[in-house]
Structure formats: structure tokens, C-alpha cells
Amino acid sequence: MSMAADAPPPAAGACCPTGAAVTAAGTAGLERWARQVAPGRMRIELMTPEAHCAACIATIERGLNASPGVLSARLNLSSRRVTVEYDPARTGPQGLVEALAGLGYQARPFDADALRAIDRDEEGRELLARLAVAGFAAMNVMLLSVSVWSGAADATRDLLHWISGLIALPAAAFAGAPFYRSAWSALRAGRINMDVPISLAVILAAGISLYETARSGEHAYFDAAVSLLFFLLLGRYLDHRTRRAARMAAAQLAGLQARSAVLIENGERRVIPVDDLRPGDVVEIPPGERAPADGEVLEGLSDVDRSMLTGESAPEPLGPGAEIHAGMINLSAPLRMRVTAVGDQTLLAGIARMIEAAERARTRFTRWADAAARIYAPLVHLAALAALIGWLAAGAELRQAVMIAAAVLIITCPCALGLAVPAVHAAAGGALFRSGVFLKDGAALETLSRVDMAVFDKTGTLTLGAPRLVDGPEDPHQWAAALAAAQSSRHPFARALAEAARARAVAPAAAEELREVPGCGVEGRVGGRIARLGRADWCGGAEPEGAETSSVWLRLGDEAPVRFALEDPLREDAAEVVAELRRMGLEVRLLSGDAPGPVRRAARGAGIDAFEAGMTPADKLARLEAWRAEGRRVLMVGDGINDAPALAAAAASMSPAEAADVSRAAAGLVFAGARLAPVTRALRVARAARRRAIENFALAAVYNMIAAPAAMMGLVTPLVAALAMSSSSIVVTLNALRLRNAR
């Protein structure tokens, strides 16, 4: 289970700072956010809200790594977190903020509040509003333009142009604001980004249109300006939505951390913030509360939900001397623990760091976008400038030369290139949705299409995660006693036993004084005899050697204890899906935190030859990293918090819809229902999507190879340029829609 791994490729125009750079004024308290990681080496994490694309990654990382005293700098685009390690003798947090300001980016300390703020998604709402305005204006201006194209002339044509301008100019001012701000910030910082030519094209198209309208010219290009913004905003919004899934994964993980702790000091209890805990403190964990830190149990016996570590739904008993980790839920009785690790030293923080490190991996599409971002803007400006100077030198009027230059900027606008991947993502997302698969990370399509190994978790993924009884005693009196005890417990195994007993029409025996013994089971008097239902050793039983099922034991008076065997059933099509994956050329493996017996049983039932049991999150991550080092591309399918690091490290990841919140937020794809068939369906669609994306890149390249020279030779007016640009976008979109019939 895991989070979404690699960030998706940037959409055209989704670039760089959208706000003015800030100075370091008011940052004197930043030092408290830094921490020492080694002698002479400090680390601080900063948030850069304006970072949007691969070009931002390159700008920030290159700029900071070139700053004096900076030892390393990495930007995670999903969470917009910049992790900087520096030499405190040469620079400090204030110097880092100033360096980022010089690059055109605001910065502030990164903390849990910053993660929780992601859920409000103000940026997404703003982009959607601007997209709606641009779309509304484009449709209305296009309708007015049809009349002009149909032959309207003189006063009628002028009136239609003026009405178009009244609609288009305010819409372009509002919808294009992110691009204008980004371009201005880049220019102030002495850089040129992809938003500079976009802004110039919109301004020139609007300016020339206004000039032509004022002089009763035949053509105006208001439709080109707003259509350009609509397509660019569509790409940016699609990019934002795919990235938000990864950001939410980090926020979900942060939500597992307790906010307060009950400190025991001098025999008295007092509630303190978790941030005030220190190693050696003694705290109490009431039933139903999460452990506030890592530690060792001193007093108490209770069942604890450790699914965040093991992935297993069954509670585990903990007593004195046992380890407990931050985020685990105490279920039945109070526990006292001595704190051994707090803050970013806890296991929960370690899982978050593993996810963060895996998310920083770059996909091939991201590297392509990185390179394109560095060369696109200068080439476009040089081409437009060359056209302007060339035509002026050839004796053309200034108005004609400016119109040709504007046509070059418009026709080379990267709409087709920008939509090449987002259009495929949208079409593939629709095809997957109809199959019960929800695409959350566009980059997952590209990586999923190239996987050569599928790795499954067991409980809740390969299996249904709901235990059921498979064997028990024949004596009806024992069934009646077991039901009497089981129906008083909320343990999953007890509920499964009670359900099986009711299915056999068993009536519960008379019982009294029943009580739940945390970590052991249920004890009381049944039919006048002392009865116990629970763990084998507590009931006097012994698990069969090599047992492949879980169990609940019953001891009734002096009778020999009897065993009720339970299993977690496989999803009904598990074996069929495993066989299909093999036919598609994938190697299939099973990694589980469960005991060897149940894992062996599940693997045999699904037809998986290679499996490993007792795996911790770090073990799973190590396996995936080793396979990646061998050149393998792994699809990880998991459902629990303990799978999150492996899901993040995998080339592609999927999670069931009923999985833990963190794994659903982390996975690139989520599938609904009780069947595994969506896994193979997603793989087929991903392979088709990769073919469509490559075709779209080729179409966009051919378009630019033909359109740019034509515009520079004066064969294209700004209106024709806008139509050509829109047509290229429509072509790649229609090609992407072929995915609706992918099988």
C-alpha cells in the first residue's frame, strides 16, 4: 500500500512562481526550524507555494545548490517542500530564504499546519474559476466570430468586434492572471520561463485585435486570446489535480499523529502537547487513543491496532516490555509507556521520510519536461524576434511585422504538446472509471505501462481482509458455549466465530460474569462452568506445527481445549488475475507482514510461487529498491499504512477502495469492488495510453515543424495561427479519446 509515487509531467503553462518574491524580513525566528543532522551539517525544510512544474524544480535546485554554504537541496513538487542541508558556518535559514527570493519564490517553514492547509485546495478552486471564465468567453467570442467569418462587413463587423472585445478583454485579464504574474516574477528575477511567451502572445493578440477594431480592420483575434488561455488553464488544472493526490497522502499520514499526551509526573496526570514530550517521559494511553510517541510499555495489558506497521486487521496483545509506536491505537485497557523516540525520530515519521524520498524520484516524462522547459522559451522568443527583424529588413511595415511575430508566438504555443499527456490521462481516467478504477496520478499511467513485475500484499489486497471460520469441533454444546462468549467481544475473530455459529442455527448457552481479558480473550461462566475463549496459550492449547490458518480456542471447564480455525479468503478472481498477469509478461510475487502459514496458504491458492512472510515496511521497501537496482519495474498492490513506503517506491501502485486512508491517498490508482480484475484492466489501458501519448507527441512535433516555418514566412495570420493551434489541440484530444475503446 502506498502513496502515489512519481510526480506527473507538467502541463504547458503550469509553470513557475505565481506571486512576487519576498524578502527575508521577519524571518529571524527561522533558526528554530533547523536541526543538526551531523557535525557541521544542518537541515531545514521550507515550503514554496509557487513551485508548479519541472522548470521550478530545476531553477530552485540549481539555484540553491550554487549558493554558498548549501550542501544539498531537493524540491518535492507534490508537497512543495524544499529540503536543504547547509553548513551553518557559511549560511543560515535567513540566507536560504533570501536565495529563494532572489530566484523569485516565496518561502516559509514547512510544518504539519502547512500539510493540513492542503485540504482546503484554494489553488484548485482559483484555477477552476479562471478556467470557467476563459471557457465561457471563448465560446461566446467564437459564436460572434462565426458571423464575421460568414461575411459580416462594415458597421456590423465593427460592432461584433467591439462586443467580442468587451467580452474577451476582461476575461483575458482575469483568466490569464496566473501566467502574467508568473512571467513578471521570472522577468524580475532575470529569467525567462514558459509563461513569458504565453503572456506575450495573449497581450499581442488582444492588442492587435483592439488596434484592428479601432481602425475598422477586417480581422480581430479576440477569440485567439481567450481560446489560448482556456486550453492552457485546462492543462494546468489537470496537472494540479493529479499532484494534489500526492500532497494529500502526506497530509493523511500526518493526521495519524496524536496532538496531545497524558504525562505522568510525580504521580499526577496532566495533558501536554506532543511537541513537549521528551525521551524518558512516562505517559498514559487511554483506550481508544493513539500512542503519542514511540516507547516501551511499562504497565497494563491491552489489545493494540498495529495495522499501520503490520497491515494485519487483527488486534495484537501488548504487555509490559513490548514496543509501541506513535500512531498505534490502544483498544481495550489503559497502558503506561516510557517514551523512547519523539517527533521526527518516531517510526511514523520514518515511514513519512521513506515516502518523501520515493516521491522525489523523477519519471521519464518529468525529465523530458525539465529539458523542454529550459529550451522552449528562448527558442520561441528568438523565432518571433527573428521573424520581426527579418520582415522589417525585407521592407515590411511595422504593423505587418508585428502581426507575423504575434502569429509565430501563437502558433508555436505548446497547447498540443501540453495536452498530449493530460488529454490521454483524462481519456484513460474515464475508461478506467467505467471499470471501477480511479486514476489519481497521471504519471502512474506511463510507469504502469512499462512494469514487468507485480507485487501483492496479502491481507485486504490478495484476500478480502475479513476472516471466516473454516473448521471447528462437532460438539453442539461447545458451539453454544463459544457463541455465548464470542458475542460479547468485538474482536474480528470473535465476530467471525459468532457469525459462523448463527449460520449453523446454534443458540448461545446461558452465560454470566463474562469479561474481556485484554490481549487474551473472553472469560466467564457458561452453563455453570468456567469458560475461556481466546488465544491458544491462554486456553491451554497448542497450535499445530505448520498451521496455515489462524485460530480461536475454547476451554470449557475441565474439558480439553478445542480449536476453531479461521482464514482470510482470497478474492474470488485472485488466481485468474495472477494467471493473466503472467500471460501479459509479468512476474508475480507476494510480500506480507503475516505469519508464514497463512501467507503460504494464500500464495498457493492464488498460484504465486514466490512469497515472503513477516515483512516490515522497511523490508518491503528494501525488496523494491533491490529490484529497482536490478532494472526491474514493479507494480505494487497494497492496502495498509505499512505498505505506504513500498507503494511510493514502486514504479506504479494500486490500492483497494476500502484500504487505509493513507494508502488510498498514496496510490496512483484505486480500484473498487471485491474483485482483482481491475488490476489487469488498468494495465491494458495504461499500455494503450502510452501508445496514444507517444502518438500525440509525434503529432505535436509534426505540427510545430510545419506551423512555425509557415508563420515565420508570413503565410499565417494571427487568426489562422489561433485556429491552427486550436486544431492541433483538438487532433491530439481526439486521438486520446480512442482510449475509450481500449481493451
Side-chain angles (χ1 to χ4, degrees), residues 456-532:
F456 288 89
D457 174 48
K458 182 183 77 70
T459 305
T461 303
L462 201 62
T463 68
L464 293 171
R468 69 180 181 189
L469 198 76
V470 294
D471 192 20
E474 297 297 330
D475 190 334
H477 297 294
Q478 292 174 332
W479 273 96
L483 175 58
Q487 65 186 7
S488 68
S489 173
R490 294 183 296 174
H491 194 286
F493 288 175
R495 290 198 297 266
L497 193 158
E499 183 179 344
R502 294 188 188 104
R504 296 166 65 106
V506 172
E512 56 185 358
E513 300 177 6
L514 292 176
R515 66 185 184 92
E516 191 159 6
V517 180
C520 296
V522 177
E523 184 178 45
R525 300 186 68 85
V526 177
R529 292 185 289 177
I530 297 295
R532 283 184 172 182

Side-chain angles (χ1 to χ4, degrees), residues 89 101 110 142 203 319 327 443 474 485 528:
F110 189 98
M142 283 289 186
I203 293 170
E474 297 297 330

Side-chain angles (χ1 to χ4, degrees), residues 312-403:
E312 303 309 314
S313 57
E316 295 187 21
L318 288 187
E323 285 186 341
I324 188 169
H325 299 282
M328 292 181 176
I329 303 174
N330 180 24
L331 296 176
S332 42
L335 291 174
R336 283 195 181 186
M337 61 169 277
R338 178 182 290 109
V339 174
T340 58
V342 297
D344 61 3
Q345 302 302 312
T346 63
L347 178 65
L348 184 64
I351 293 175
R353 282 195 298 272
M354 286 188 281
I355 295 170
E356 183 80 11
E359 281 182 2
R360 282 199 292 259
R362 308 288 177 82
T363 67
R364 182 174 54 169
F365 281 153
T366 304
R367 291 193 295 270
W368 288 357
D370 221 344
R374 288 196 294 269
I375 64 175
Y376 168 76
L379 286 179
V380 169
H381 286 92
L382 287 173
L385 181 61
L388 177 66
I389 295 174
W391 280 94
L392 287 175
E397 295 180 359
L398 177 61
R399 171 179 165 275
Q400 181 186 10
V402 170
M403 291 181 69

Side-chain angles (χ1 to χ4, degrees), residues 110-189:
F110 189 98
D111 57 12
D113 290 336
L115 274 176
R116 288 191 288 274
I118 291 170
D119 190 42
R120 294 192 288 270
D121 196 24
E122 294 174 0
E123 181 185 355
R125 290 196 294 270
E126 178 188 356
L127 285 173
L128 195 58
R130 297 185 191 279
L131 176 64
V133 169
F136 176 81
M139 287 187 294
N140 283 276
V141 174
M142 283 289 186
L143 287 174
L144 294 170
S145 299
V146 168
S147 299
V148 176
W149 300 337
S150 300
D154 302 327
T156 302
R157 180 190 62 215
D158 293 345
L159 177 61
L160 292 173
H161 282 169
W162 280 116
I163 295 173
S164 297
L166 288 174
I167 297 172
L169 292 176
F174 174 74
F179 303 101
Y180 309 146
R181 289 198 304 261
S182 171
W184 178 240
S185 294
L187 291 172
R188 286 178 55 186

